[in-house]
Amino acid sequence: MASSKPLFLFLINISFLLILSSAEDATFSFDFEVSYITASPLGVPQQVIAINDKFPGPTINVTTNNNVIVNVRNKLDENLLIHWSGIQQRRSSWQDGVLGTNCPIPPKWNWTYQFQVKDQIGSFFYFPSLNFQRAAGGFGGFIINNRPVISLPFDTPQDDIVVFIGDWYTRNHTALRKALDDGKDLGMPDGVLINGKGPYRYNDTLVPDDIDFEQIDVQPGKTYRLRVHNVGVSTSLNFRIQNHNLLLAETEGSYTVQQNYTSLDIHVGQSYSFLVTMDQNASSDYYIVASARMVNESRWKRVTGVGILHYTNSKGKARGPLPPGPDDQFDKTYSMNQARSIRWNVSASGARPNPQGSFRYGSINVTEIYVLKNKAPVKIDGKRRATLSGISYKNPATPIRLADQFKLKGVYKLDFPSNPLTGPPRVEASVINGSYRGFMEIILQNNDTKMHTYHLNGYAFFVVGMDFGDWSENSRGTYNKWDGIARTTAQVYPGAWTAILVSLDNVGVWNLRTENLDSWYLGQETYIRVVNPEPSNKTEFPIPDNALFCGALQHLQQPQTISSAASINGYGLKLLFTWVMFVCTIFHIFQ
Ligand SMILES: *[C@@H]1O[C@H](CO)[C@@H](O)[C@H](O)[C@H]1NC(C)=O
Ligand SMILES: *[C@@H]1O[C@H](CO)[C@@H](O)[C@H](O)[C@H]1NC(C)=O
Ligand SMILES: *[C@@H]1O[C@H](CO)[C@@H](O)[C@H](O)[C@H]1NC(C)=O
Ligand SMILES: *[C@@H]1O[C@H](CO)[C@@H](O)[C@H](O)[C@H]1NC(C)=O
Ligand SMILES: *[C@@H]1O[C@H](CO)[C@@H](O)[C@H](O)[C@H]1NC(C)=O
Ligand SMILES: *[C@@H]1O[C@H](CO)[C@@H](O)[C@H](O)[C@H]1NC(C)=O
Ligand SMILES: *[C@@H]1O[C@H](CO)[C@@H](O)[C@H](O)[C@H]1NC(C)=O
Ligand SMILES: *[C@@H]1O[C@H](CO)[C@@H](O)[C@H](O)[C@H]1NC(C)=O
Ligand SMILES: *[C@@H]1O[C@H](CO)[C@@H](O)[C@H](O)[C@H]1NC(C)=O
Ligand SMILES: *[C@@H]1O[C@H](CO)[C@@H](O)[C@H](O)[C@H]1NC(C)=O
Ligand SMILES: *[C@@H]1O[C@H](CO)[C@@H](O)[C@H](O)[C@H]1NC(C)=O
Ligand SMILES: *[C@@H]1O[C@H](CO)[C@@H](O)[C@H](O)[C@H]1NC(C)=O
C-alpha cells in the first residue's frame, strides 16, 4: 500500500485544480497572521490588533470573479472571525465570518476562508467581527477592480490610496468591553486616527508632540482615487482635504453620479471613492481632516483626525487653522440632504457589461415589509442591552447556518416581527424569515438620539428614501425609484427613517446590524435567513470541508494539529471518482 499514497495525493491535487479551473478565474492566496502589537497612535502605548504585524492590515486587491483564499491564523488570546464587509459571498454565507454562519477560530488555530468575489467591483474592507475587536484594529482594505473588458466611468487615476478614518480610544478593547458589560457608556473617544496614526500637530495646545501622523505623497496635476472607510466605533466623521474638491465616484460597489463635494459625512462602516485632482499651487502642504459630526465642536476639538497631503513640489508645511467643516450641531438637515444627493450612475457599467441601471428596482413589486425600530439602550433583566424592534439579539452557541445544515431544532426562532414589538423588550435569537427571490422593503426607524448606520451582509440594497419623523405608508410617495444608490451600509439619522429595498436572491443566513460597535455589542442585530425551498448547490455551495464545529455540534470538531493533512469529504471523493472515470475513459479511447 505504500505506493498508493503518492498517487492518492496526486489525484487530490488534480481534483483541486479541476475545481479552480471550472471557476475559470484566477486565484489569489493570502496568509493573515492576526496578533497583538503595541502601538501609540495617540501617544499612549496600547495593545493593538495587527495583521502580519501591520496596523492597518494589508490590502486585498483583486478583480471581479477572482477566487480568494485567506488562511487566517489566530495569535490573539481570544476567539476570532474575520468578516469581509461588503463582499457578497454569493451562495456562500459559510465564508461570511460572523457568528450566525461560522464557529469562531479559537486562539492558536487557523482557518482558511475561500470564496469568489463574484459579480462585484468596488471599495470594501475587512475587520474582526467578534468581541469589540475592531476598536483595537485588525482591519484592512479590500478592493475589487473592474475586469479589463469593462471600462471605468472615469479616466484611470494615477494611483489608488486607501484611507481609514475612525474614532479611537486609548483604552484597549477588553477595557472597553468591560465598561459596556458594567452597563456604562464609553464616553467621548480620545481621538480620530487616519490610517492608524494620530493627528498632525496643527495646534500645539491640542496635539502633543511626537505623534506619528499620516502623510500622503502626490504629484502635482495628477488625479488620485482615495478609497475612504470609516472603521471607527460610533462617530460619524466629516472628511475633507484643504483647498481640494472631492469628486465622489463610487460607494460600496456602485458607481455614483460624479459630483464635487468640499466635504462629505462618512458614517461608521461606510466606504467612498473620491477622485482628487492635485490642482493646487503647492505653496504649502494641505490638511486632510476627519472631524466628528453634529457634536459640540469646542468640546470635540481634540477628537479630530489630521493628516497631510504633500505635493512632491511642496514649498512648506501646512499651517494655520484647519479648514472648517459644516457647523450644524443641532441641524441634521444639511447632512441628510447631502446623503440624498448621492445617486447611482444608471448608465455606468460595474461588474457586468450592462449598465448598473438595467436592474430596474423601481418596477419590482415588494413581497415583504419590515419596519425595524431601534431605541436607546434599555435594561433587560438588570443588564444594559440594545434592541431592534424590541428584541436584543443573543448569539446562540451553535451558528444558525450550521444548525440548519444539521437540522438542529430550537437553536433560534424564525419569528422576527415585521413591526416593532410593543411589549417589554426581550433577549432572543430571533431571525427574519426572508423568502428566496422575494423583494424586501426594510424601513429603519431610529428612535435613538444618536446616529446609526445599518449594514446587511450578502447583499447590496437600494437606498430609496430617508426623512425625519416617523415613517408611514405615505412616505413611499417620496421614494427614489430610479437612481437610488445600491450599497451595503446606510445611515439613519436620529429621529428619522431610512428605507431600503433588497432583492433576496442570495441563499444563506445574513447579518443585519448596526455598525455602531457598542450598540452591536449590546445586541442590536439580527439575521435574514434566505432558503431555497428546493435546495441545490446551484443556489448555495455545500458546507466547506474545513468547517469548524461548536455549540451543540462541538463533538464533530477534530482537534487541530499543526500540519493538518488534506481532508477529503463526499464532494472531494465524488470529484476524485469523476476524475478516475475520466482517466479510464481516455485510456479506453486510446486502446
Ligand atoms: C490551517 O493551515 C494549514 C496550513 O496552511 C492548512 O493546511 C489547513 O487547512 C488550515 N486549517 C483550516 C481549518 O483551514
Ligand atoms: C490594485 O491593483 C491595481 C492593478 O491591478 C493597481 O492599479 C492599484 O494601484 C492597486 N491598488 C492598491 C491600493 O494597491
Ligand atoms: C487592557 O486594559 C486593562 C485596563 O486598563 C489593563 O488592565 C490590561 O492590562 C490591558 N491589556 C493589555 C494587554 O494591554
Ligand atoms: C489651539 O487650540 C486652542 C484650544 O482650542 C485655541 O485656544 C488656540 O487658539 C489654538 N491655537 C492656534 C494657534 O490656533
Ligand atoms: C470638480 O472639481 C474639479 C476641480 O477640482 C473640476 O475640474 C471638475 O470639473 C469638477 N467636476 C464636476 C463634475 O463638477
Ligand atoms: C497659492 O494658493 C493659495 C491658496 O489658494 C493662495 O493663497 C496663494 O496666494 C497662491 N500662491 C501662489 C504663489 O499662487
Ligand atoms: C459646548 O461645550 C462647551 C465646553 O464644554 C460648553 O461651554 C458650551 O456651552 C457647549 N455649547 C453648546 C452649544 O452646547
Ligand atoms: C456615468 O457613467 C458614464 C459611463 O458610462 C460616464 O461617462 C459619465 O460621466 C457618468 N456620469 C456621471 C454624471 O457621473
Ligand atoms: C406588480 O403588481 C401589480 C398589481 O398587483 C401587477 O399588476 C404587476 O404585474 C406586478 N408587477 C410585476 C413586475 O410583477
Ligand atoms: C418562512 O417563509 C416561508 C415563505 O417564504 C414560509 O413558507 C414559511 O412557513 C415561513 N416560516 C416560518 C417559520 O414562518
Ligand atoms: C421616539 O418615538 C416616540 C414615539 O413614537 C416619539 O414620541 C419620539 O419623538 C421618538 N424619538 C425620537 C428621537 O425619534
Ligand atoms: C449537488 O446537488 C446534487 C443534486 O441536488 C447532489 O446530487 C450533489 O450531491 C450535490 N453536490 C454536492 C457537492 O453537494
Side-chain angles (χ1 to χ4, degrees):
M1 284 305 285
S3 66
S4 71
K5 202 180 173 194
L7 174 67
F8 184 62
L9 284 178
F10 171 66
L11 291 180
I12 292 173
N13 282 335
I14 296 288
S15 59
F16 184 61
L17 280 178
L18 281 180
I19 295 170
L20 293 187
S21 60
S22 69
E24 284 183 56
D25 287 292
T27 297
F28 293 87
S29 296
F30 303 85
D31 268 304
F32 273 21
E33 193 174 282
V34 186
S35 69
Y36 295 120
I37 57 167
T38 301
S40 314
L42 294 175
V44 183
Q46 65 183 121
Q47 180 186 267
V48 161
I49 297 176
I51 310 244
N52 302 341
D53 290 325
K54 282 197 187 135
F55 165 65
T59 302
I60 291 184
N61 186 6
V62 294
T63 299
T64 305
N65 295 348
N66 283 170
N67 295 293
V68 177
I69 298 176
V70 191
N71 192 1
V72 174
R73 300 178 171 277
N74 180 5
K75 301 220 161 163
L76 306 181
D77 57 353
E78 50 187 39
N79 286 341
L80 174 72
L81 280 176
I82 299 286
H83 169 60
W84 318 94
S85 184
I87 306 299
Q88 287 179 14
Q89 304 293 5
R90 295 206 69 82
R91 297 189 270 166
S92 200
S93 63
W94 301 111
Q95 307 291 334
D96 208 21
V98 288
L99 281 180
T101 55
N102 296 78
C103 293
I105 309 168
K108 299 197 177 71
W109 286 38
N110 69 299
W111 198 68
T112 309
Y113 290 82
Q114 181 163 359
F115 52 87
Q116 189 182 15
V117 290
K118 187 82 183 144
D119 288 337
Q120 280 196 271
I121 55 100
S123 310
F124 309 99
F125 64 95
Y126 59 83
F127 70 90
S129 69
L130 307 184
N131 290 328
F132 226 75
Q133 287 162 359
R134 191 174 81 204
F139 45 77
F142 200 130
I143 294 173
I144 311 179
N145 297 291
N146 279 42
R147 288 182 286 156
V149 293
I150 300 171
S151 53
L152 288 166
F154 42 80
D155 293 338
T156 305
Q158 172 75 9
D159 206 355
D160 243 11
I161 300 169
V162 179
V163 180
F164 292 105
I165 57 176
D167 57 1
W168 188 261
Y169 292 85
T170 52
R171 279 173 284 168
N172 63 38
H173 73 290
T174 47
L176 293 173
R177 227 153 62 196
K178 181 160 188 313
L180 291 171
D181 290 339
D182 291 347
K184 293 186 190 126
D185 214 78
L186 297 183
M188 204 194 294
D190 301 297
V192 168
L193 305 192
I194 299 185
N195 284 347
K197 293 173 180 169
Y200 172 77
R201 201 172 192 204
Y202 70 98
N203 177 313
D204 292 353
T205 331
L206 290 167
V207 184
D209 201 0
D210 280 337
I211 287 199
D212 189 20
F213 60 89
E214 177 69 354
Q215 175 172 314
I216 294 175
D217 294 332
V218 293
Q219 290 172 28
K222 306 282 193 215
T223 297
Y224 293 78
R225 179 174 186 172
L226 266 62
R227 302 181 189 249
V228 189
H229 312 271
N230 185 337
V231 291
V233 173
S234 63
T235 308
S236 296
L237 296 172
N238 180 265
F239 183 79
R240 54 197 186 272
I241 303 178
Q242 189 174 30
N243 285 7
H244 289 76
N245 270 329
L246 305 171
L247 183 63
L248 180 66
E250 179 254 344
T251 179
E252 297 160 12
S254 288
Y255 291 117
T256 64
V257 168
Q258 290 163 32
Q259 288 181 84
N260 276 322
Y261 294 86
T262 48
S263 75
L264 194 85
D265 290 345
I266 306 181
H267 305 278
V268 179
Q270 291 186 325
S271 304
Y272 288 99
S273 282
F274 302 110
L275 302 173
V276 184
T277 302
M278 303 307 154
D279 55 5
Q280 295 300 297
N281 62 22
S283 54
S284 70
D285 291 345
Y286 299 93
Y287 292 124
I288 301 169
V289 185
S291 62
R293 199 59 183 94
M294 293 169 281
V295 295
N296 179 334
E297 235 201 287
S298 58
R299 280 186 65 220
W300 280 72
K301 243 191 182 116
R302 68 187 169 81
V303 188
T304 299
V306 186
I308 290 296
L309 183 75
H310 173 78
Y311 282 43
T312 49
N313 63 340
S314 168
K315 291 177 203 70
K317 289 190 164 25
R319 266 184 305 267
L322 301 179
D327 173 21
D328 51 3
Q329 187 189 348
F330 301 106
D331 177 13
K332 296 162 186 78
T333 317
Y334 174 88
S335 183
M336 188 187 277
N337 283 338
Q338 190 184 53
R340 287 174 174 145
S341 74
I342 298 168
R343 302 294 178 91
W344 215 24
N345 182 338
V346 290
S347 67
S349 299
R352 293 167 182 267
N354 50 337
Q356 295 182 136
S358 50
F359 186 82
R360 296 186 189 277
Y361 69 87
S363 56
I364 305 174
N365 288 336
V366 165
T367 59
E368 52 232 277
I369 304 160
Y370 280 82
V371 179
L372 306 182
K373 187 174 192 170
N374 77 296
K375 290 190 182 238
V378 288
K379 277 243 156 90
I380 309 179
D381 296 331
K383 287 242 183 252
R384 192 161 181 260
R385 302 285 308 181
T387 59
L388 202 53
S389 287
I391 299 175
S392 186
Y393 189 83
K394 186 169 189 292
N395 279 290
T398 316
I400 297 167
R401 184 63 198 86
L402 269 186
D404 279 355
Q405 177 77 13
F406 288 85
K407 301 190 165 53
L408 298 182
K409 295 260 179 290
V411 168
Y412 66 93
K413 290 182 181 168
L414 201 55
D415 65 350
F416 198 94
S418 54
N419 277 294
L421 296 180
T422 46
R426 52 186 200 230
V427 178
E428 256 178 5
S430 175
V431 170
I432 295 178
N433 182 15
S435 323
Y436 177 52
R437 294 202 163 132
F439 198 62
M440 189 182 273
E441 177 184 14
I442 302 175
I443 292 100
L444 299 155
Q445 180 84 49
N446 184 355
N447 199 229
D448 196 350
T449 50
K450 285 185 188 164
M451 189 81 205
H452 278 268
T453 37
Y454 288 89
H455 177 92
L456 175 60
N457 294 1
Y459 294 96
F461 51 70
F462 296 93
V463 182
V464 293
M466 55 177 80
D467 208 348
F468 293 101
D470 281 341
W471 179 88
S472 74
E473 307 259 331
N474 291 336
S475 307
R476 291 205 178 100
T478 68
Y479 282 7
N480 175 350
K481 298 209 154 188
W482 170 242
D483 62 356
I485 191 78
R487 66 185 309 171
T488 66
T489 315
Q491 66 267 54
V492 192
Y493 291 82
W497 55 267
T498 296
I500 62 175
L501 298 176
V502 53
S503 172
L504 300 179
D505 58 356
N506 194 12
V507 170
V509 171
W510 305 108
N511 190 222
L512 173 63
R513 62 170 176 275
T514 176
E515 280 290 343
N516 177 311
L517 272 190
D518 39 345
S519 298
W520 185 15
Y521 182 77
L522 295 176
Q524 197 173 101
E525 65 174 325
T526 182
Y527 285 82
I528 303 182
R529 177 180 176 270
V530 181
V531 172
N532 181 353
E534 291 152 26
S536 146
N537 40 35
K538 289 209 177 64
T539 52
E540 191 182 27
F541 290 126
I543 180 170
D545 298 0
N546 62 351
L548 296 175
F549 297 101
C550 54
L553 297 166
Q554 180 74 53
H555 61 280
L556 296 176
Q557 182 60 49
Q558 304 290 315
Q560 200 171 72
T561 50
I562 303 301
S563 66
S564 55
S567 73
I568 193 160
N569 70 353
Y571 185 49
L573 270 178
K574 193 172 169 216
L575 269 177
L576 182 62
F577 180 70
T578 313
W579 194 81
V580 170
M581 290 306 288
F582 173 73
V583 171
C584 293
T585 314
I586 300 274
F587 257 79
H588 194 75
I589 291 169
F590 285 95
Q591 258 177 1

